[in-house]
């Protein structure tokens, strides 16, 4: 069922509370007493731009948990370089840079991976999971330029840009449709923390130009503090731009949009740091050896975009049940399913691990599980017409977000906890591939039309039918 959370995937660029305070403005009393010292010994570092992470709903530990899950997914989806020497080199270079990274005291478990992808790109997931494409290593002229790209990525980690973006995305989603209401929160919330799918990583990696500029500035500081030529990062970006003028821009710029005056801003920071140190490091024999090794790696063909992904079927539903208690009804569901709450309080979903998948276009969709929601409706619960017309509205809304959804068995009467209800079967394209069966049960209550949508691929539906029935049998109205 295409539970399209497209709106929630749209990150709205609310430029967010970042601090750009030159350190010199801190502590007036101190500068009063030390003013003379500054005059005698100009301290370049006193002028550097101080950057801090913006407003964030997640804790640094959540960054790590979330990033780890997303990294596990990324590792499954991206071809590795399979070159231990290259990985070791990236780890050694990355660790040196990370040691100079201002993380505000947070210990991130940095990891560095080489990806066998010719596209010039690199990305870092929250918590410090850095992926560098072979293309980026091949495009770098020297070690300082590669260090520049990595310092930029590490700065996104330290500035917690990924979860800051997710926080904004969560804030920005309002007024989604019924399924948006159920799944609207999941991209930034439950799904992100519980599934951490690499798709959810789409939100984590969509940086604003402001974030880019901040990563440039901090990356430049890290280069400087590690002894590299601090201009190297901007020079690499400039080179990428010049080489691709009029052609397809490198992938890097789609994940990391080019901020205005990129090079100018970096040069300004280099000035604040006191200029380029005379002994600044540019290259190493090791980098050149690694680059040669990378250039010789076999090329891995990319999968065709849009091709349906093979999705592993989730584990069968457990026979042990957990209890779920809403304000006016209760039910039991398999204890190996997870609960996905809706932020507005109107709905809830239950799905096994692996039951929520990427529908192939970067959106999260429920392929296995149960969605519960409430449609505004009034009327006598025993009035068949009232139930019918409210049910039609729910199905119409479903079809709006799932254009290939068709009714296969029209509404049949049934009872749910003694209350009259309606059962409708539909078929739809499954995000797991092939067709799916959607069993919709609706009951009119004083609170509105309560609907249950039981979802499973047609090929697996028989294995879920019994589970759906026992969940519905367990429904109790408590008011
Ligand atoms: Zn960036």
């Amino acid at each position: 069922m295409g539970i399209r959370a497209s709106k929630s995937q749209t990150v709205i660029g609310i430029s967010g509370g970042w601090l750009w305070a030159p350190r010199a403005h801190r502590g007036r009393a101190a500068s009063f007493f030390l003013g003379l010292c500054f005059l005698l010994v100009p301290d370049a570092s006193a002028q550097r731009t101080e950057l801090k992470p913006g407003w964030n709903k997640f804790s640094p530990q959540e960054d790590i948990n979330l990033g780890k899950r997303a990294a596990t997914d990324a590792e499954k989806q991206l071809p590795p370089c399979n070159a231990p020497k290259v990985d070791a080199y990236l780890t050694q270079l990355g660790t040196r840079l990370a040691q100079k990274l201002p993380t505000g005291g947070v210990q991130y478990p940095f990891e560095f991976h080489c990806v066998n992808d010719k596209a010039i790109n690199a990305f870092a997931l929250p918590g410090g999971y850095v992926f560098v494409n072979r293309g980026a290593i091949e495009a770098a002229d020297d070690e300082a330029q590669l260090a520049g790209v990595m310092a930029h990525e590490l700065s996104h980690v330290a500035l917690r840009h990924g979860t800051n973006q997710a926080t904004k995305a969560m804030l920005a989603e309002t007024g989604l449709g019924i399924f948006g209401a159920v799944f609207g929160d999941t991209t930034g919330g439950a799904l992100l923390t519980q599934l951490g799918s690499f798709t959810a990583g789409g939100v984590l990696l969509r940086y604003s130009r402001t974030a880019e500029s901040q990563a440039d500035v901090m990356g430049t500081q890290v280069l400087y503090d590690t002894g590299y030529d601090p201009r190297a990062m901007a020079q690499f970006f400039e080179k990428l731009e010049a080489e691709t003028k009029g052609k397809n821009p490198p992938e890097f710029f789609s994940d990391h949009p080019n901020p205005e005056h990129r090079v100018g801003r970096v040069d300004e920071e280099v000035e604040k740091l006191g200029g380029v140190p005379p002994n600044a490091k540019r290259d190493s024999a090791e980098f050149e050896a690694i680059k040669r090794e990378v250039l010789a790696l076999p090329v891995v063909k990319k999968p065709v975009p849009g091709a349906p992904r093979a999705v592993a079927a989730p584990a069968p539903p457990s026979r042990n049940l957990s209890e779920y208690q809403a304000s006016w009804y209760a039910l039991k569901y398999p204890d190996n399913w997870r609960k996905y709450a809706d932020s507005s309080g109107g709905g809830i979903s239950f799905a096994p691990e692996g039951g929520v998948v990427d529908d192939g276009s970067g959106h999260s969709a429920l392929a296995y599980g149960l969605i519960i929601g409430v449609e505004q409706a009034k009327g006598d619960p025993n009035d068949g017409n009232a139930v019918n017309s409210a049910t039609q509205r729910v199905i119409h809304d479903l079809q709006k977000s799932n254009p290939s959804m068709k009714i296969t068995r029209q509404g049949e009467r049934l009872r749910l906890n003694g209350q009259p209800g309606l059962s409708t079967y539909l078929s739809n394209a499954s995000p797991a591939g092939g067709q799916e069966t959607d069993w919709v049960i609706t009951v009119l209550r004083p609170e509105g039309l309560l609907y249950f949508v039981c979802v499973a691929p047609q090929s697996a539906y028989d294995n879920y039918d019994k589970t759906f029935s026992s969940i519905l049998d367990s429904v109790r109205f408590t008011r």
Side-chain angles (χ1 to χ4, degrees), residues 81-400:
C81 289
N82 282 328
K85 264 197 229 161
V86 178
D87 280 326
Y89 169 78
L90 289 178
T91 302
Q92 181 238 332
L93 174 59
T95 306
R96 250 193 301 136
L97 295 163
Q99 277 162 2
K100 300 290 181 187
L101 192 68
T103 61
V106 184
Q107 297 273 338
Y108 291 111
F110 293 103
E111 274 180 22
F112 301 89
H113 303 265
C114 177
V115 181
N116 193 335
D117 185 338
K118 284 278 202 184
I120 303 170
N121 207 354
F123 67 91
L125 292 163
Y129 305 87
V130 182
F131 293 79
V132 181
N133 278 3
R134 66 180 288 184
I137 302 171
E138 290 166 349
D141 288 334
D142 50 38
E143 184 169 271
Q145 289 191 357
L146 178 62
V149 174
M150 291 173 76
H152 175 99
E153 295 303 332
L154 288 167
S155 301
H156 281 310
V157 174
L159 291 165
R160 307 187 57 213
H161 283 150
T163 47
N164 174 254
Q165 287 296 114
T167 302
K168 289 181 205 164
M170 287 164 81
L171 185 81
E173 49 188 64
T174 46
L176 296 179
I178 46 167
F179 286 119
V182 174
F183 262 73
D185 190 42
T186 54
T187 307
L191 199 115
L192 218 68
T193 44
Q194 295 179 26
L195 285 182
S197 86
F198 185 43
T199 315
V203 164
L204 301 175
L205 296 175
R206 212 163 296 155
Y207 303 125
S208 65
R209 286 188 162 77
T210 313
E212 281 312 301
S213 194
Q214 288 165 349
D216 282 356
V217 169
M218 185 176 278
T220 299
Q221 295 168 351
V222 169
L223 278 184
Y224 179 89
D225 291 340
T226 329
Y228 287 104
D229 186 332
R231 295 166 306 181
M233 180 185 49
Q235 283 165 355
F236 181 70
F237 294 154
E238 243 184 342
K239 186 186 112 153
L240 287 192
E241 237 195 324
E243 279 179 8
T244 54
K245 271 263 144 70
K247 287 185 269 170
N248 289 338
E251 231 177 74
F252 186 86
F253 291 136
S254 61
D255 287 351
H256 306 264
N258 236 341
E260 296 234 329
H261 317 298
R262 181 162 225 164
V263 174
R265 182 66 190 89
V266 168
D267 286 345
E268 212 176 279
E269 194 62 24
V270 173
E271 276 310 301
K272 288 182 182 178
L273 293 165
V276 181
N279 56 348
K281 196 174 170 184
R282 289 280 345 180
D283 207 4
S284 72
E286 215 184 344
F287 170 79
E288 294 303 327
I290 288 297
K291 185 169 165 175
R292 278 193 299 276
E293 184 169 341
V294 168
L295 283 163
L297 287 174
V299 175
V300 175
K301 277 203 189 118
K302 279 192 179 181
V304 183
R309 287 197 185 144
V311 178
S318 161
R319 284 185 197 168
N320 298 324
L321 302 175
S322 293
E323 177 104 22
Y324 171 70
Q325 178 80 58
S327 59
W328 47 276
Y329 67 90
L331 58 78
K332 291 179 177 147
Y333 65 96
D335 70 355
N336 63 342
W337 285 17
R338 284 194 169 132
K339 213 166 54 198
Y340 299 96
D342 157 27
S343 56
S344 65
I348 187 147
S349 297
F350 300 91
E353 173 108 32
V356 179
V357 301
D358 180 356
D359 70 356
S361 66
H363 300 118
S364 300
L366 187 125
Y368 300 81
L370 168 69
I371 297 159
I372 304 173
V374 184
E375 167 89 357
Q376 276 194 356
K378 280 202 177 95
D380 178 355
N382 292 302
D383 175 2
N385 286 336
V387 180
N388 255 333
S389 62
T391 301
Q392 273 169 22
R393 284 207 304 278
V394 167
I395 289 171
H396 183 71
D397 278 343
L398 279 172
Q399 286 173 325
K400 258 198 284 186

Side-chain angles (χ1 to χ4, degrees), residues 325-331 417 445 447 475-479:
Q325 178 80 58
S327 59
W328 47 276
Y329 67 90
L331 58 78
N417 188 204
R445 299 290 303 162
E447 294 82 1
V475 172
R476 293 291 171 266
F477 296 111
T478 52
R479 199 153 73 194

